[in-house]
Amino acid sequence: MSEQKTCPVDGVMEIDPNSEEFGLGFKEIYSQLHASGCPYAHSSAGDFYALAKHEDITKACLKPKVWTSTKGPALQYQDPDQPGVLVSVDPPEHTFEAKLVGKTFSKAYFESFIPGIKAFLNERIDSFIEKGHCDIHKEISEPLPLWVIFSMFGKSIDEEGIKAYREGFVGSIGQMLNPNPVRPTSENPYADSFLYDHLQDTKKKLAAGKIDAGDNLLTRFITNEVDGVRLSDEKIMAFCGFLLAAGSGTTTILLSNLLYRLLISPEQFQKVKDDPELIPLAIEECLRVDSPLHGLFRTNTEQVEVGPLNIEPDTKVLMMWGAGNHDPDVFPNPTEFDLDRDMSEVRKHLSFGFGIHICRGAPLSRIEARLFLETVMERLPNLRLDGEIERDTRIPIFQGIRKLPIAWDT
């Protein structure tokens, strides 16, 4: 067993993000951290420290040489022989990848998915609208983001594939806060060989002139370059795997969190119904109040002092996006979902990260959330909760919903 890198600190709260107490009561813990005047935490169970203050987190994220991402965003230290992408690399590698992804993830490219997303949403609603009730998380929140990402890959996915990927996602990402992760054996017929086989097939079609360079995400990754350099096959595979895990999971949580937050805030929901121009603000405020991701880790390259923490080099430190979003020094009445806030202030939330590692797919996630809310509001009249929701505690790094029963008038 490796030697502990951290230790309890007087006055610093002890947390265990893998515990049921944290999984169900994390917002109260956020509030306690800020109210105590000591917005720092330590985990004896996980052997890490955590930062909850917005200012501390943003300062750290602006210093990648001190707070490196190369050791991985999870509690486990990333294997140096495994290729990292974006969230787990630093400059100059990150600079190259960000430029290349910037060319690929253009505004026009993201907006090109709008007609398909609308069609998908309406087809799904057509399949259950006459029932007058459903679990909207299962019917839309889970499949939509995966459908979008597979569309980006230029590949279709069926219900079996959606179910398989969701199960694989829970099994893998669910281990991010586990100090001794156990990777489940994959029984996913779409998993290991799918991406590699699809990549090789795409390259052959490109070479034969059967598809164009801008046809899908893979063709763009294959052909786009920065300073004459292109992504290797290994990097493309890593990018696609990262998108499947991170992109679909967080957006799934956002969709259900957004609708649930409005359903339990009838006055705020009525404002959105009366003025749909408030939908973008509702999305940002939901991201702030109900951050899909508790946070990601950085690892310090030198001895650092932050508040009462004296952090030895090579220590895992959790940047708690969710707690930073509840910092009363930045967001007055932080636990309140309030659509009277100014958009520029709300957009200070950390739910998509901060600094050079900010999420590159955030614009697409916002598009999906906007179209989702617009469509369910339009097609499902007198929308309301239809029973108790079920929180999803299987993935401790996330906070989301596993079951969201709703009803409407038919």
Side-chain angles (χ1 to χ4, degrees), residues 331-362:
F331 307 104
N333 302 314
T335 60
E336 229 177 88
F337 179 81
D338 183 3
L339 297 184
D340 286 327
R341 297 183 193 271
D342 184 85
M343 175 67 100
S344 64
E345 294 299 309
V346 178
R347 287 288 288 263
K348 292 178 181 177
H349 70 74
L350 304 172
S351 295
F352 287 123
F354 189 79
I356 63 171
H357 292 94
I358 196 164
C359 176
R360 306 287 161 170

Short mmCIF file of all heavy atoms in Angstrom, two decimals, residues 331-362:
data_model
loop_
_atom_site.label_atom_id
_atom_site.label_comp_id
_atom_site.label_asym_id
_atom_site.label_seq_id
_atom_site.Cartn_x
_atom_site.Cartn_y
_atom_site.Cartn_z
N PHE A 331 -21.88 34.33 -5.64
CA PHE A 331 -23.30 34.17 -5.99
C PHE A 331 -24.16 34.38 -4.74
O PHE A 331 -24.28 33.47 -3.90
CB PHE A 331 -23.55 32.77 -6.56
CG PHE A 331 -22.64 32.39 -7.69
CD1 PHE A 331 -21.58 31.51 -7.49
CD2 PHE A 331 -22.83 32.91 -8.97
CE1 PHE A 331 -20.74 31.16 -8.53
CE2 PHE A 331 -22.00 32.57 -10.01
CZ PHE A 331 -20.94 31.69 -9.79
N PRO A 332 -24.75 35.57 -4.57
CA PRO A 332 -25.62 35.81 -3.41
C PRO A 332 -26.75 34.78 -3.36
O PRO A 332 -27.27 34.35 -4.39
CB PRO A 332 -26.17 37.21 -3.68
CG PRO A 332 -25.15 37.86 -4.58
CD PRO A 332 -24.62 36.75 -5.44
N ASN A 333 -27.11 34.36 -2.14
CA ASN A 333 -28.13 33.33 -1.95
C ASN A 333 -27.87 32.15 -2.90
O ASN A 333 -28.69 31.82 -3.75
CB ASN A 333 -29.53 33.89 -2.20
CG ASN A 333 -29.86 35.06 -1.30
OD1 ASN A 333 -29.61 34.99 -0.08
ND2 ASN A 333 -30.39 36.14 -1.86
N PRO A 334 -26.71 31.51 -2.76
CA PRO A 334 -26.25 30.55 -3.78
C PRO A 334 -27.12 29.32 -3.96
O PRO A 334 -27.11 28.73 -5.05
CB PRO A 334 -24.86 30.16 -3.28
CG PRO A 334 -24.87 30.44 -1.81
CD PRO A 334 -25.75 31.64 -1.64
N THR A 335 -27.88 28.92 -2.94
CA THR A 335 -28.70 27.72 -3.09
C THR A 335 -30.01 27.99 -3.83
O THR A 335 -30.73 27.06 -4.18
CB THR A 335 -29.03 27.10 -1.71
OG1 THR A 335 -29.75 28.05 -0.92
CG2 THR A 335 -27.74 26.71 -0.98
N GLU A 336 -30.29 29.27 -4.06
CA GLU A 336 -31.55 29.66 -4.70
C GLU A 336 -31.45 29.63 -6.22
O GLU A 336 -30.54 30.21 -6.80
CB GLU A 336 -31.91 31.10 -4.26
CG GLU A 336 -33.34 31.26 -3.78
CD GLU A 336 -33.59 32.68 -3.31
OE1 GLU A 336 -33.97 33.52 -4.15
OE2 GLU A 336 -33.38 32.94 -2.10
N PHE A 337 -32.41 28.96 -6.86
CA PHE A 337 -32.53 28.98 -8.33
C PHE A 337 -33.32 30.23 -8.68
O PHE A 337 -34.51 30.33 -8.42
CB PHE A 337 -33.25 27.72 -8.79
CG PHE A 337 -33.46 27.63 -10.28
CD1 PHE A 337 -32.44 27.21 -11.12
CD2 PHE A 337 -34.69 27.96 -10.85
CE1 PHE A 337 -32.63 27.12 -12.49
CE2 PHE A 337 -34.89 27.87 -12.21
CZ PHE A 337 -33.85 27.46 -13.04
N ASP A 338 -32.64 31.20 -9.28
CA ASP A 338 -33.23 32.54 -9.42
C ASP A 338 -33.00 33.07 -10.84
O ASP A 338 -31.88 33.36 -11.24
CB ASP A 338 -32.59 33.47 -8.39
CG ASP A 338 -33.18 34.87 -8.41
OD1 ASP A 338 -34.13 35.12 -9.19
OD2 ASP A 338 -32.69 35.73 -7.64
N LEU A 339 -34.08 33.22 -11.59
CA LEU A 339 -33.98 33.70 -12.97
C LEU A 339 -34.00 35.22 -13.06
O LEU A 339 -34.10 35.77 -14.15
CB LEU A 339 -35.11 33.10 -13.81
CG LEU A 339 -35.06 31.57 -13.95
CD1 LEU A 339 -36.16 31.07 -14.87
CD2 LEU A 339 -33.70 31.12 -14.45
N ASP A 340 -33.87 35.88 -11.92
CA ASP A 340 -33.68 37.33 -11.94
C ASP A 340 -32.19 37.69 -11.87
O ASP A 340 -31.84 38.87 -11.85
CB ASP A 340 -34.42 37.98 -10.77
CG ASP A 340 -35.93 38.00 -10.99
OD1 ASP A 340 -36.35 38.12 -12.16
OD2 ASP A 340 -36.67 37.86 -10.00
N ARG A 341 -31.34 36.70 -11.83
CA ARG A 341 -29.90 36.97 -11.81
C ARG A 341 -29.46 37.48 -13.18
O ARG A 341 -30.08 37.20 -14.21
CB ARG A 341 -29.11 35.70 -11.46
CG ARG A 341 -29.37 35.13 -10.08
CD ARG A 341 -28.47 33.93 -9.82
NE ARG A 341 -28.89 33.18 -8.65
CZ ARG A 341 -28.46 33.42 -7.40
NH1 ARG A 341 -27.60 34.40 -7.19
NH2 ARG A 341 -28.90 32.69 -6.39
N ASP A 342 -28.36 38.18 -13.18
CA ASP A 342 -27.77 38.67 -14.43
C ASP A 342 -26.99 37.54 -15.10
O ASP A 342 -26.21 36.85 -14.45
CB ASP A 342 -26.85 39.85 -14.13
CG ASP A 342 -26.29 40.46 -15.40
OD1 ASP A 342 -26.98 41.31 -16.00
OD2 ASP A 342 -25.17 40.08 -15.79
N MET A 343 -27.20 37.36 -16.39
CA MET A 343 -26.55 36.27 -17.11
C MET A 343 -25.03 36.33 -16.98
O MET A 343 -24.37 35.30 -16.80
CB MET A 343 -26.95 36.30 -18.58
CG MET A 343 -26.22 35.27 -19.45
SD MET A 343 -26.65 33.56 -19.07
CE MET A 343 -27.85 33.23 -20.39
N SER A 344 -24.45 37.52 -17.06
CA SER A 344 -23.00 37.63 -16.98
C SER A 344 -22.47 37.15 -15.63
O SER A 344 -21.34 36.64 -15.54
CB SER A 344 -22.56 39.07 -17.23
OG SER A 344 -23.04 39.93 -16.22
N GLU A 345 -23.28 37.30 -14.58
CA GLU A 345 -22.87 36.83 -13.26
C GLU A 345 -23.03 35.32 -13.15
O GLU A 345 -22.16 34.62 -12.62
CB GLU A 345 -23.69 37.53 -12.17
CG GLU A 345 -23.41 39.03 -12.07
CD GLU A 345 -21.95 39.32 -11.73
OE1 GLU A 345 -21.44 38.74 -10.76
OE2 GLU A 345 -21.33 40.12 -12.46
N VAL A 346 -24.15 34.81 -13.66
CA VAL A 346 -24.40 33.37 -13.60
C VAL A 346 -23.34 32.60 -14.37
O VAL A 346 -22.89 31.52 -13.96
CB VAL A 346 -25.81 33.04 -14.14
CG1 VAL A 346 -26.05 31.52 -14.12
CG2 VAL A 346 -26.87 33.74 -13.32
N ARG A 347 -22.90 33.17 -15.51
CA ARG A 347 -21.91 32.49 -16.35
C ARG A 347 -20.53 32.38 -15.70
O ARG A 347 -19.62 31.80 -16.28
CB ARG A 347 -21.80 33.19 -17.70
CG ARG A 347 -22.99 32.98 -18.63
CD ARG A 347 -23.04 31.56 -19.21
NE ARG A 347 -22.03 31.30 -20.19
CZ ARG A 347 -22.19 31.38 -21.50
NH1 ARG A 347 -23.36 31.73 -22.00
NH2 ARG A 347 -21.21 31.11 -22.32
N LYS A 348 -20.40 32.89 -14.49
CA LYS A 348 -19.16 32.69 -13.74
C LYS A 348 -19.10 31.29 -13.11
O LYS A 348 -18.11 30.94 -12.47
CB LYS A 348 -19.02 33.75 -12.64
CG LYS A 348 -18.79 35.16 -13.16
CD LYS A 348 -18.71 36.16 -12.01
CE LYS A 348 -18.51 37.58 -12.54
NZ LYS A 348 -18.52 38.59 -11.45
N HIS A 349 -20.17 30.52 -13.30
CA HIS A 349 -20.18 29.17 -12.73
C HIS A 349 -19.05 28.33 -13.33
O HIS A 349 -18.53 28.63 -14.41
CB HIS A 349 -21.54 28.49 -12.95
CG HIS A 349 -21.84 28.11 -14.36
ND1 HIS A 349 -21.25 27.04 -15.00
CD2 HIS A 349 -22.70 28.63 -15.28
CE1 HIS A 349 -21.70 26.92 -16.22
NE2 HIS A 349 -22.59 27.89 -16.43
N LEU A 350 -18.70 27.28 -12.63
CA LEU A 350 -17.54 26.46 -12.99
C LEU A 350 -17.93 25.09 -13.54
O LEU A 350 -17.09 24.19 -13.63
CB LEU A 350 -16.65 26.27 -11.75
CG LEU A 350 -16.16 27.55 -11.09
CD1 LEU A 350 -15.46 27.24 -9.77
CD2 LEU A 350 -15.23 28.33 -12.02
N SER A 351 -19.18 24.92 -13.91
CA SER A 351 -19.67 23.59 -14.28
C SER A 351 -19.03 23.02 -15.54
O SER A 351 -19.05 21.80 -15.75
CB SER A 351 -21.19 23.61 -14.43
OG SER A 351 -21.79 23.88 -13.19
N PHE A 352 -18.47 23.88 -16.38
CA PHE A 352 -17.74 23.39 -17.56
C PHE A 352 -16.22 23.54 -17.36
O PHE A 352 -15.45 23.49 -18.31
CB PHE A 352 -18.16 24.16 -18.81
CG PHE A 352 -19.54 23.79 -19.29
CD1 PHE A 352 -20.52 24.77 -19.44
CD2 PHE A 352 -19.86 22.48 -19.62
CE1 PHE A 352 -21.80 24.44 -19.88
CE2 PHE A 352 -21.14 22.15 -20.07
CZ PHE A 352 -22.10 23.12 -20.21
N GLY A 353 -15.81 23.69 -16.08
CA GLY A 353 -14.40 23.87 -15.80
C GLY A 353 -14.01 25.33 -15.91
O GLY A 353 -14.85 26.23 -15.98
N PHE A 354 -12.67 25.54 -15.93
CA PHE A 354 -12.18 26.92 -15.99
C PHE A 354 -10.76 26.91 -16.55
O PHE A 354 -10.02 25.94 -16.40
CB PHE A 354 -12.18 27.55 -14.58
CG PHE A 354 -11.89 29.02 -14.57
CD1 PHE A 354 -12.87 29.93 -14.88
CD2 PHE A 354 -10.61 29.49 -14.27
CE1 PHE A 354 -12.61 31.30 -14.88
CE2 PHE A 354 -10.33 30.85 -14.26
CZ PHE A 354 -11.34 31.76 -14.57
N GLY A 355 -10.40 28.02 -17.19
CA GLY A 355 -9.04 28.13 -17.72
C GLY A 355 -8.89 27.39 -19.03
O GLY A 355 -9.85 27.20 -19.77
N ILE A 356 -7.69 26.95 -19.32
CA ILE A 356 -7.41 26.33 -20.61
C ILE A 356 -8.14 25.00 -20.79
O ILE A 356 -8.35 24.55 -21.91
CB ILE A 356 -5.90 26.12 -20.84
CG1 ILE A 356 -5.32 25.14 -19.80
CG2 ILE A 356 -5.16 27.44 -20.82
CD1 ILE A 356 -3.89 24.73 -20.09
N HIS A 357 -8.55 24.38 -19.66
CA HIS A 357 -9.20 23.07 -19.76
C HIS A 357 -10.72 23.16 -19.75
O HIS A 357 -11.39 22.16 -19.51
CB HIS A 357 -8.72 22.16 -18.63
CG HIS A 357 -7.28 21.76 -18.74
ND1 HIS A 357 -6.28 22.45 -18.12
CD2 HIS A 357 -6.70 20.76 -19.44
CE1 HIS A 357 -5.12 21.88 -18.40
NE2 HIS A 357 -5.33 20.86 -19.20
N ILE A 358 -11.26 24.33 -20.01
CA ILE A 358 -12.72 24.47 -20.06
C ILE A 358 -13.28 23.55 -21.14
O ILE A 358 -12.64 23.29 -22.17
CB ILE A 358 -13.12 25.94 -20.31
CG1 ILE A 358 -14.60 26.16 -19.97
CG2 ILE A 358 -12.80 26.37 -21.75
CD1 ILE A 358 -14.97 27.63 -19.82
N CYS A 359 -14.47 23.02 -20.91
CA CYS A 359 -15.08 22.02 -21.80
C CYS A 359 -15.31 22.58 -23.20
O CYS A 359 -16.01 23.59 -23.37
CB CYS A 359 -16.40 21.56 -21.21
SG CYS A 359 -17.30 20.41 -22.26
N ARG A 360 -14.74 21.91 -24.21
CA ARG A 360 -14.87 22.37 -25.60
C ARG A 360 -16.23 22.02 -26.19
O ARG A 360 -16.63 22.58 -27.22
CB ARG A 360 -13.76 21.75 -26.45
CG ARG A 360 -12.36 21.98 -25.92
CD ARG A 360 -11.90 23.40 -26.11
NE ARG A 360 -10.77 23.74 -25.23
CZ ARG A 360 -10.06 24.84 -25.33
NH1 ARG A 360 -10.34 25.71 -26.27
NH2 ARG A 360 -9.07 25.08 -24.49
N GLY A 361 -16.92 21.09 -25.56
CA GLY A 361 -18.23 20.70 -26.08
C GLY A 361 -19.39 21.42 -25.41
O GLY A 361 -20.55 21.10 -25.69
N ALA A 362 -19.08 22.40 -24.56
CA ALA A 362 -20.13 23.10 -23.83
C ALA A 362 -21.19 23.72 -24.75
O ALA A 362 -22.39 23.64 -24.45
CB ALA A 362 -19.51 24.18 -22.94
#
